[in-house]
Amino acid sequence: MESIGVLMPIPMNSYLEGELEKRFNLFKLWTVPHKAQFLKENADSVRAVIGNSSSGADADLIDALPKLEIVASFSVGIDKVDLKKCKEKGIRVTNTPDVLTEDVADLAIGLMLAVLRRLCESDRFVRSGKWKMGDYKLTTKFTGKTVGIIGLGRIGQAIATRAEAFNCPISYHSRSQKADVKHKYYPTVVELAANCDILVVACPLTEETRHIINREVIDALGPKGVLINIGRGPHVDESELVSALVEGRLGGAGLDVYQNEPEVPEELFGLENVVLLPHVGSATVETRTAMADLVIGNLEAHFLKKPLLTPVV
Ligand code: NAP
């Protein structure tokens, strides 16, 4: 398979790069000075594109690569891939479900604890020497809080399982009520937000879910409510979130993702009720290795004409 051209537009993971280089002719687009020129010259050689949460395959890239057969995403979310165009052109799409579920769910619980118990702020309190001047103030209990989950899929379910161990009642919203689930279902996000203490976004980013967290939802969650976003930045109307936090209309937020990553609204930097992470939901050595192996497995299956391991399209 050494002659098969695989395009990686941005650096993603050194293990993945190494494994791709062992098997394919890997084009690392970020190392090339004149990208448009390079793409033009090598368009006929590229049969696969590697995507992730910040770089996928839009209509322009797909049109520029006439021999493209497969987009293998190094992520479970495929919001950066033009799925409609891929379907039209018969281009296969794969992602990395399941292997990252536990890490993302762990991180969601970590964010809940960090926001309610002010873990980051109290760490800064110790480091700055302020403890010598008096004790840190009281915070908010996590155990027993009602957790509302938007998108009770693989990750949403794993968050629910973990939150249940903290005696948190679970409720959820998704497009349809799950038959085999005992948690309380709300047909709208506003109703879910009005009836939970902590609202977690864990659904895929689609046209339907863009700004699923808007002013009305934030107001329903209220000044004691906490928003956790481990989905995608555009799920949240960020300017509404920032003003609600600055004005104290929302109790707190734990964010792993943002609308224009790596840009993060600076108004949030001074708020102690906000925990900001740099999109690290699946970022452990173990999980990124498993995700890379799945990308490789899908590419090998495709080029050996075997069934794909985790097909989306
Ligand atoms: P999944 O198993 O497909 O679950 C998605 C859930 O969202 C399903 O229960 C689905 O239920 C629900 N959903 C879909 N459209 C919806 C809508 N319009 N409104 C409400 N609910 C909707 O996906 P997953 O593996 O759990 O991953 C979920 C997302 O997490 C990914 O798409 C990705 O964007 C994000 N993620 C983030 C990180 C990170 O680093 N922060 C890492 C991994 C994944 P219905 O079909 O019944 O609506």
Side-chain angles (χ1 to χ4, degrees), residues 10-240:
I10 57 168
M12 294 178 194
N13 174 275
S14 52
Y15 170 75
L16 175 60
E17 264 171 49
E19 293 303 303
L20 286 168
E21 274 171 331
K22 279 183 206 166
R23 296 164 173 82
F24 303 101
N25 178 19
L26 183 65
F27 298 116
K28 300 185 198 179
L29 195 58
W30 72 94
T31 64
V32 172
H34 305 291
K35 296 181 178 49
Q37 178 73 16
F38 179 86
L39 275 181
K40 227 183 213 172
E41 283 166 11
N42 293 281
D44 281 341
S45 310
V46 176
R47 294 172 63 189
V49 166
I50 310 298
N52 72 359
S53 59
S54 50
S55 162
D58 60 13
D60 288 346
L61 184 66
I62 294 169
D63 283 337
L65 301 172
K67 300 283 163 57
L68 184 62
E69 295 171 30
I70 181 168
V71 179
S73 198
F74 183 58
S75 63
V76 68
I78 27 83
D79 44 281
K80 296 280 184 197
V81 181
D82 189 331
L83 289 182
K84 192 166 163 263
K85 186 120 191 154
C86 287
K87 272 183 206 158
E88 277 167 19
K89 294 204 153 198
I91 296 166
R92 306 302 309 272
V93 178
T94 64
N95 64 347
T96 60
D98 298 314
V99 291
L100 46 62
T101 296
E102 290 172 342
D103 273 359
V104 185
D106 291 352
L107 199 84
I109 298 292
L111 278 171
M112 292 178 205
L113 280 163
V115 174
L116 268 67
R117 299 299 304 270
R118 301 284 195 265
L119 297 185
C120 303
E121 184 63 16
S122 26
D123 175 271
R124 288 191 285 268
F125 182 81
V126 173
R127 288 171 198 248
S128 67
K130 287 186 186 157
W131 193 12
K132 296 191 182 78
M133 274 111 64
D135 287 343
Y136 190 70
K137 66 183 178 202
L138 300 183
T139 61
T140 304
K141 183 174 175 132
F142 170 52
T143 288
K145 290 285 182 290
T146 302
V147 174
I149 301 172
I150 304 175
L152 200 69
R154 290 172 289 244
I155 295 170
Q157 288 273 7
I159 294 169
T161 304
R162 283 156 176 72
E164 278 190 302
F166 289 88
N167 288 333
C168 297
I170 309 295
S171 47
Y172 74 102
H173 164 75
S174 56
R175 288 170 299 183
S176 54
Q177 188 165 1
K178 312 272 170 218
D180 50 347
V181 165
K182 64 182 187 310
H183 308 309
K184 186 163 176 49
Y185 174 75
Y186 288 99
T188 69
V189 182
V190 173
E191 286 169 273
L192 178 68
N195 288 286
C196 69
D197 302 305
I198 304 170
L199 182 64
V200 189
V201 184
C203 58
L205 178 64
T206 61
E207 274 317 305
E208 226 182 341
T209 63
R210 194 171 295 274
H211 286 193
I212 199 166
I213 305 297
N214 54 24
R215 170 94 187 209
E216 198 187 356
V217 171
I218 291 170
D219 287 346
L221 194 53
K224 289 196 167 166
V226 167
L227 177 74
I228 302 293
N229 189 7
I230 50 80
R232 288 283 185 262
H235 279 133
V236 177
D237 184 333
E238 208 163 69
S239 58
E240 286 294 348

